[in-house]
Every structure is written in C-alpha cells, then in structure tokens.
Amino acid sequence: MRPGRALDVLNVLLSDVRYGLGAYLGVYLMTEHHWDPAHIGFALSIGGLVGLLAQTPIGLLVDVIRAKRALLAGAVLVVTASCLVIPLAPGFGAVTAAGVVGGVAGASIAPTLAAISLGIVGPAGFARRAGRNEALFHLGNAAVNVVILVTAPLLGTPVLFWVMATTGLLSALAAMAIPESAIDHDTARGLVPGIQHVDQAAAWRMLLHSRPLLAFALCGALFHLANASMLSLVAQKLALQNIGWGVALTAICAITAQSVMVPTAALAGARADAWGRRPLLLLAFLALVLRGLLYSVSDWAPWLVAVQLLDGLAAGLIGALFPVVVADLTRGSGHFAAAQCAVGTVHAVGGVASGALAGWVALRAGYDAAFLVLAAIAALGALLFWLTVPESRGAPALTDPEGIPA
C-alpha cells in the first residue's frame, strides 16, 4: 500500500481509539451504573492526569525509536483493551485504573502519528498532510457515531464496546501496513537535512526558552480547560432530560460536530501556509466562547445539538494546526515529538482540570452555570493568544541559540 493511502486509512480507523470512549463513557456510567457528574469528572481526570505526566517521556521515546509503526499499533491495542474492561468492572477504582492505563498508552498515539506523517511528507508538505489527517480522523469519527446512532436503540450500550474492539484491531493492522521504507526517521524527529544541528542538550535549552512555544502552550491549556468537558456536559444534560436516548443523542451531537470538523480541518491544512496559523487559531478561540454562551440560552434538545456546529469549527482548527505550529517552532531541534508532547502536556492539564471543574460547578450550580464559566475561560484564552502568540509560519530553524524566534 502507498504511504499516503495507508495514512489515510489509519486516520479514518483511529477515530474510535485515539480518545477512548470519550463522552460516551460519561453517559454509560450515568445511565447504566448511576454515577453522578462529579464522580464521572474526577474518575476521568485521574486517568488523564497520569497520562499527561507520561507524555514528555513518551515524546522522547517517539523521537529516538525507529519502530514507530509498532509503537503506534501497540498503543492502539492497549487503549482498546482498557476500554473493553470497563463493562466487566464498572466500579470507581476499576474505571479509574483503566483510565490510567489507557491514558498512558493513548498519550503516544498523536505524536507518533504526527512524526510518521512528517517523516513521510517532509516539512514542506506537513501542513497540508496534518490537515488531511485531522479531516479524515473526523470523517471516521462521524462514521462511527452514525453506526452507534443506528444500532444503539436496537442493541443497547454494548454496541459501544463492540465498535471499539473492531476499530482498535483494524487500526493496529493499518499502522503496520505503512511501508517502513517510506519514513525518513531524521525528518520525523524534526531534523533538517543539510543544516548543521546543535547538540541535544542545547536544543532542549533553546526550546525551553522559546517564548512563542511557551505562550502557545499556556493559551492551549486555557482552550482545553474551556473545551474538554463541554460535549460531556451536553451529553449528560440531554441524557437526563431524554431518558433512554442518552447514547443516541450523544451520537447526534458528535456527528453534528464532525460534519463541520472535516471541511474545517481540510481547509486549515490547505490554507495555513497562505493565510498563516495565527488568524485561524484565534477563530477557534472565538468559536469556543460563543459555543459556551449559546449552550446556556436554552435546554431545547435541537438547540443544544445545533450549537455543536461550533465545536466542529473550533476543534477542527486546533486539531489540524497544533502539530503544524509545534513543527514550525521546533524545526531543526530533533525534538519534534518530545516538544509536541511537552506542549501537549500543558494543554492536557487544562483538559484534565476541565472535567473536574465543570463537574463540580454543574453539581453545585447547574449545567448553565458550568457553560458560562467555561465560556469566560475561553475568552481569557483568546485575549492572551492575541497578545502573546506570534505567527509561526516561516520561523527559523533552531540551528543555534540565535535561531530561537524572538
């Protein structure tokens, strides 16, 4: 199979594995095992916290290991297995432990996929390839949610786990179908052919002192603090108001968002080099602010589902451009995956805290109050992004301390 086609297939299949069961897990635990929003948020946050602590060491491994296909396939199988044990042991301790295992394994999927993609297409084609990866990922996600929407009313919640098992196995096979010879492992870690490189310790010092990279990490943390729990809160709200339809309505919300994410991610990848990364990322923040505000306007199910269109816009832009910005700011360092994981760790801190914060606010003050708090956080992130994050397109390679973008 040609490398580009194999990547396409892999991205479509990874859609049900990359983030585990996602919002469905909260609905499953609430409707089938009577968990409350606070316990759901805390259980998922613990697993996420351990996973994010493992990200940077995993990134270092991704940079140096040449068996990237095997690493990706193994991570996919572990994430799948950690989700499949939940119906067998749905207690707080077991679910938390499964989340820890799945979080650690899942932390390697995105950076390994990005490194393989960069190693195949090179820096010049990476923005377009990253956008294509994200668009195909969301296309696959939409397809999976359609399957769940159609089958869940007939087969019940077990269909979530059957679909997970199928896509997990196929994703592992697709990863191994990528031709090993097509991956340039030096390019995959962010090295630039023909340019003299600094030693590894100096490269890390330059990355740690890169103000644009640090600003991007902080602003991304605020984005994910506001964004990560919104779909889960909407799914819980719909499940409580529409007894027996929680899984189906969650699938409809996800499909609605994915229908926008696919063209948004493709457009971001195709136009990021011409328009720049900064205006597209600022648009993602503004869409998130508006989404949080509109969720609090009405409890009508069609309204809540319609607002999910803004999730597609924000998540499509962030997902497509995150690896592109990190690649811009780390070019020549040889630490693309490690830097991606380090920045991703900061982003994930926001995502992990989001579940606990939103669950606590929803329990104490209601769902509308939680949405307004998240919208305010997104607005703060938009302001800081505008003031602190420069355009990364055309940033110089990190070949010496003077190569750090000002």
Side-chain angles (χ1 to χ4, degrees), residues 1 5 11 30 120 123 144 159 172 185 191 207 222 261 294 296 320 345 362 364 385:
M1 186 181 292
R5 185 59 57 83
N11 277 283
M30 175 180 287
I120 290 174
V144 166
V159 73
H185 289 283
L191 295 174
L207 292 177
L222 291 173
M261 289 179 192
L294 292 178
S296 66
T345 297
R364 297 290 181 179
F385 182 87

Side-chain angles (χ1 to χ4, degrees), residues 1 6-7 9-10 13 169-178:
M1 186 181 292
L7 275 175
V9 173
L10 175 60
L13 292 171
L169 177 59
L170 292 177
S171 296
L173 295 174
M176 297 307 296
I178 297 172

Side-chain angles (χ1 to χ4, degrees), residues 288-302:
L288 181 58
V289 174
L290 184 59
R291 180 183 167 210
L293 294 175
L294 292 178
Y295 276 145
S296 66
V297 170
S298 173
D299 292 342
W300 190 39

